[in-house]
Amino acid sequence: LVILIRSNTLGEVSMSIKSSVTLFLLSISLILSNCGNQQHKAQPYFDSGISKFAAQDLQGAITDLDQAIQLYPDFAIAYNARGLVRLKLQDMPGALADFDQALKLEPANPEFYLNRGHIYAETQKHDEAIRDFTQATKLDPQFAEAFANLGTVYLNTGNLAEALKKYDHAIQLNPKNIIFHNDRGLIRIQQKNYQAALADFDTSITLNPNFPESYYHRGMTHFRMENYPAALNDYQKALELEPKYSDVYAAIGNLKFQQNQPQAAMESYNQCLAINPNDAKAYFNRATINLEMGNRDQACLDWHKSLELGMPVAADLIKEYCPESDQSDPSANQKNLSVELDTRNRKGKKVNTTR
């Protein structure tokens, strides 16, 4: 059991899958012929815990893995597995304690370093994450996932050149991994190397034509290249594969806004928020549409919601357009609205397209 972390802090590019964890079930082979009686007794509970984890019965998995560890306290792989379950449950301290114990029992296991590195990456302890991922690559120079995870940490700390090097190496080791190509494409978007990004997303799609993320990200690339028909085609394909892909609806809203279709943009943002009511950028962008359409009260509600969900830039717009003193003065409202629309016409659209 190992983790491949996925970045959701890519600056102007955010990952579509909100969970930053992709779990891979690797083959687990335990040679029991030389094991003591404790491990023989613990093994059925371990196997049951893994089965329940795969079936998303997380509490059941914890119960079985607890029992396996109680029967065999030196069961390193059971600590590792329980750490992954706790990670899925967002119990970061518990997961870290389990990975620490797994490494005490098997200090030369690269997978355990990779999994602990993910905890550090998730909790913004970048130096510790880099240390653990690097140690994993030293213990196993063919460990492609460790190089990719290292690349993600460098990406999230703004070191795009080093991030690209690590992903290049991961792809050399495993050229058929669709996620590696997809994520390298995101780095290249950040570098504004759009043609190279398209090549990565094309490769990912060729390897797996049913992977919606790569269609979404290729659409993002076309959008930045102002090839709006191609962007829309990719967005629609992503929705065919994943109808509840909220980020894609938001991206279509951005595209429609750029094409001066505010009503269509509004409908797309509404669809996004129906699926994911915690999307701060979608509220922010819908507020922009509401303001343009003269719905200032609704715009203010959306800005407040966006601010509540963590977009501090909304505070300035609330201060400008939603002061208590202006609520009783419709002429002041219209003046503010006109100025904002005039400014936007001169300087370009102000919809937030950074997803």
Side-chain angles (χ1 to χ4, degrees):
L1 294 171
V2 300
I3 297 168
L4 177 66
I5 63 173
R6 309 296 306 287
S7 174
N8 59 4
T9 54
L10 299 182
E12 291 194 352
V13 182
S14 86
M15 295 297 295
S16 55
I17 296 180
K18 298 301 182 184
S19 169
S20 61
V21 180
T22 301
L23 299 175
F24 290 86
L25 291 174
L26 299 184
S27 60
I28 302 172
S29 59
L30 296 175
I31 302 174
L32 298 178
S33 58
N34 295 324
C35 295
N37 189 47
Q38 285 180 313
Q39 186 165 343
H40 277 293
K41 289 182 178 179
Q43 184 66 32
Y45 290 102
F46 174 82
D47 292 341
S48 177
I50 294 300
S51 295
K52 289 178 180 178
F53 183 28
Q56 298 300 306
D57 178 7
L58 302 183
Q59 291 299 337
I62 289 286
T63 298
D64 285 345
L65 292 169
D66 283 348
Q67 185 65 27
I69 290 168
Q70 183 177 349
L71 290 168
Y72 181 37
D74 292 336
F75 206 167
I77 198 169
Y79 285 103
N80 180 66
R82 191 174 67 179
L84 290 171
V85 181
R86 285 175 163 170
L87 175 61
K88 194 78 170 177
L89 290 167
Q90 295 298 303
D91 177 8
M92 297 300 182
L96 182 59
D98 275 337
F99 296 140
D100 282 343
Q101 184 61 27
L103 280 165
K104 286 180 183 178
L105 294 168
E106 291 187 18
N109 190 313
E111 293 175 11
F112 298 171
Y113 278 104
L114 182 122
N115 291 342
R116 189 176 70 177
H118 173 72
I119 298 293
Y120 290 135
E122 279 284 283
T123 53
Q124 305 298 305
K125 295 180 179 179
H126 300 302
D127 290 341
E128 291 88 342
I130 289 171
R131 180 198 66 202
D132 273 2
F133 293 147
T134 300
Q135 182 63 17
T137 65
K138 289 179 179 179
L139 290 168
D140 182 0
Q142 302 300 310
F143 200 172
E145 285 81 7
F147 285 101
N149 285 354
L150 195 52
T152 298
V153 177
Y154 282 123
L155 174 60
N156 289 340
T157 54
N159 190 341
L160 298 182
E162 196 62 31
L164 186 59
K165 287 180 184 178
K166 299 306 180 186
Y167 267 100
D168 284 345
H169 193 68
I171 289 171
Q172 288 175 7
L173 293 170
N174 187 355
K176 293 187 178 181
N177 188 302
I178 60 171
I179 293 175
F180 294 173
H181 288 284
N182 180 80
D183 289 1
R184 187 173 69 177
L186 292 171
I187 297 171
R188 286 170 162 168
I189 290 178
Q190 285 285 77
Q191 294 177 322
K192 296 183 168 51
N193 188 352
Y194 297 132
Q195 290 298 335
L198 288 177
D200 269 328
F201 299 134
D202 287 345
T203 299
S204 180
I205 289 167
T206 298
L207 291 169
N208 182 358
N210 297 314
F211 187 53
E213 272 193 72
S214 290
Y215 289 101
Y216 167 47
H217 294 141
R218 190 171 70 178
M220 288 167 52
T221 310
H222 285 306
F223 179 83
R224 282 158 176 74
M225 297 172 74
E226 300 185 2
N227 186 349
Y228 298 140
L232 185 59
N233 285 339
D234 277 341
Y235 292 154
Q236 290 172 337
K237 180 62 178 180
L239 288 175
E240 287 177 19
L241 295 168
E242 179 49 71
K244 294 188 179 297
Y245 204 155
S246 63
D247 280 359
V248 177
Y249 284 110
I252 293 174
N254 298 344
L255 187 153
K256 294 298 183 182
F257 188 85
Q258 291 297 106
Q259 292 181 315
N260 296 310
Q261 299 178 42
Q263 188 58 50
M266 176 75 76
E267 291 170 4
S268 292
Y269 293 134
N270 289 343
Q271 288 174 298
C272 168
L273 291 167
I275 298 167
N276 178 16
N278 295 314
D279 191 323
K281 290 181 181 177
Y283 283 107
F284 184 91
N285 290 346
R286 191 173 70 176
T288 302
I289 303 293
N290 274 309
L291 185 66
E292 184 168 271
M293 296 176 72
N295 303 324
R296 199 181 83 154
D297 289 345
Q298 186 59 50
C300 290
L301 289 174
D302 281 345
W303 278 323
H304 277 289
K305 188 64 176 178
S306 177
L307 180 63
E308 176 188 325
L309 290 170
M311 282 200 72
V313 67
D316 292 337
L317 295 170
I318 291 169
K319 183 177 180 181
E320 183 175 359
Y321 291 105
C322 313
E324 291 292 329
S325 59
D326 282 355
Q327 300 304 312
S328 60
D329 186 355
S331 63
N333 294 354
Q334 185 60 46
K335 179 179 179 181
N336 281 344
L337 176 61
S338 299
V339 169
E340 172 65 9
L341 293 178
D342 287 344
T343 300
R344 187 164 53 249
N345 289 338
R346 288 196 300 271
K347 295 184 179 179
K349 306 295 186 183
K350 287 191 177 180
V351 67
N352 190 326
T353 61
T354 61
R355 300 206 61 81

